Amino acid sequence: TNFFEFFLVPRSWTRYKIPPNTTVNQWINDFCQRVRQLEDISKNVASGGATALRSCTVWLGGLFNPEAYITATRQCVAQANSWSLEELFLDIHIGNHNDAISMDDFSFGIEKLKLQGGTCHNNQLTISNDIVTDLHVARLRWLNKNHKATEKIVADKTRTINLPVYLNATRTDVLFTANFAMAPDQHEQVYYERGVALIASTTLN
């Protein structure tokens, strides 16, 4: 048995949000994964410049301040296109496993999302008895809601449900909410009754 397996993380270590009762062993493993991700991102930026960030997929829950990342992506698109923040609309697309998701100048890739209480196929959610489902890479795309192209995207998602994306399974911190497409036979009320939501990190749960 690992010596640290049953020891809780000291308060002085909690410089970023973690679930209560996290053990030292869990925290060390999680911290190592976070540092590894930062190293990979730094290498990509060093070799390809800031634009290389668009080709990276980010483990959102593994960032030390994931809320700031979401805000930064929105500000980046607004600044690059001289749009106001109020004009932007968040479109999220979840690909199937082994699918390559197309990216553009408005897009950012995130990975390791978990869906609680449902499954996703062809970017459509379906209620499931599975407690947690691993999702493939998701594309966050900030679009101008006043443009015709955005109107078509919204029109194509005739059945959507607004769901929260939580930091972790404690569900105490909402990173953002977004509209997700539902399969044609799904009913919105059932999703709320079952508490269907997305989780950005489960390494400490």
Side-chain angles (χ1 to χ4, degrees):
T1 302
N2 191 302
F3 177 76
F4 297 111
E5 187 172 353
F6 302 107
F7 290 89
L8 298 183
V9 175
R11 287 188 178 182
S12 60
W13 291 18
T14 55
R15 302 301 176 91
Y16 55 93
K17 295 176 182 177
I18 60 174
N21 301 321
T22 297
T23 66
V24 172
N25 189 61
Q26 291 173 318
W27 184 87
I28 290 174
N29 290 334
D30 176 81
F31 183 74
C32 289
Q33 292 183 50
R34 291 169 184 265
V35 172
R36 197 173 298 121
Q37 171 170 253
L38 289 178
E39 289 178 345
D40 291 340
I41 292 174
S42 297
K43 289 178 181 177
N44 285 330
V45 172
S47 61
T51 55
L53 288 173
R54 295 194 182 279
S55 63
C56 299
T57 56
V58 175
W59 169 33
L60 186 63
L63 298 175
F64 292 106
N65 195 338
E67 297 96 333
Y69 175 79
I70 298 299
T71 301
T73 60
R74 186 182 184 190
Q75 292 174 338
C76 177
V77 172
Q79 185 175 16
N81 295 277
S82 299
W83 296 337
S84 69
L85 295 176
E86 291 70 25
E87 291 180 286
L88 296 184
F89 169 85
L90 179 60
D91 175 67
I92 185 165
H93 178 94
I94 301 173
N96 298 325
H97 288 279
N98 300 321
D99 282 355
I101 298 180
S102 60
M103 305 287 284
D104 55 29
D105 291 340
F106 313 104
S107 302
F108 302 85
I110 60 175
E111 61 182 27
K112 298 184 180 180
L113 287 177
K114 312 283 185 179
L115 179 61
Q116 292 188 323
T119 59
C120 184
H121 183 67
N122 292 335
N123 195 39
Q124 292 185 332
L125 302 188
T126 305
I127 290 292
S128 171
N129 290 325
D130 295 335
I131 297 175
V132 178
T133 302
D134 292 332
L135 298 180
H136 186 46
V137 172
R139 180 189 65 205
L140 302 183
R141 185 166 55 170
W142 293 101
L143 302 175
N144 192 314
K145 59 187 177 184
N146 297 320
H147 288 190
K148 290 185 177 181
T150 304
E151 293 177 1
K152 183 179 185 304
I153 291 172
V154 174
D156 288 342
K157 292 184 177 181
T158 54
R159 290 181 51 78
T160 63
I161 184 168
N162 190 268
L163 295 177
V165 179
Y166 291 102
L167 175 60
N168 53 50
T170 64
R171 296 194 175 200
T172 56
D173 297 283
V174 178
L175 300 182
F176 65 95
T177 63
N179 290 329
F180 295 86
M182 294 188 297
D185 61 342
Q186 299 291 286
H187 300 283
E188 182 176 308
Q189 186 60 33
V190 178
Y191 283 78
Y192 295 131
E193 290 174 354
R194 295 198 178 198
V196 176
L198 289 90
I199 307 296
S201 177
T202 58
T203 58
L204 291 176
N205 304 122

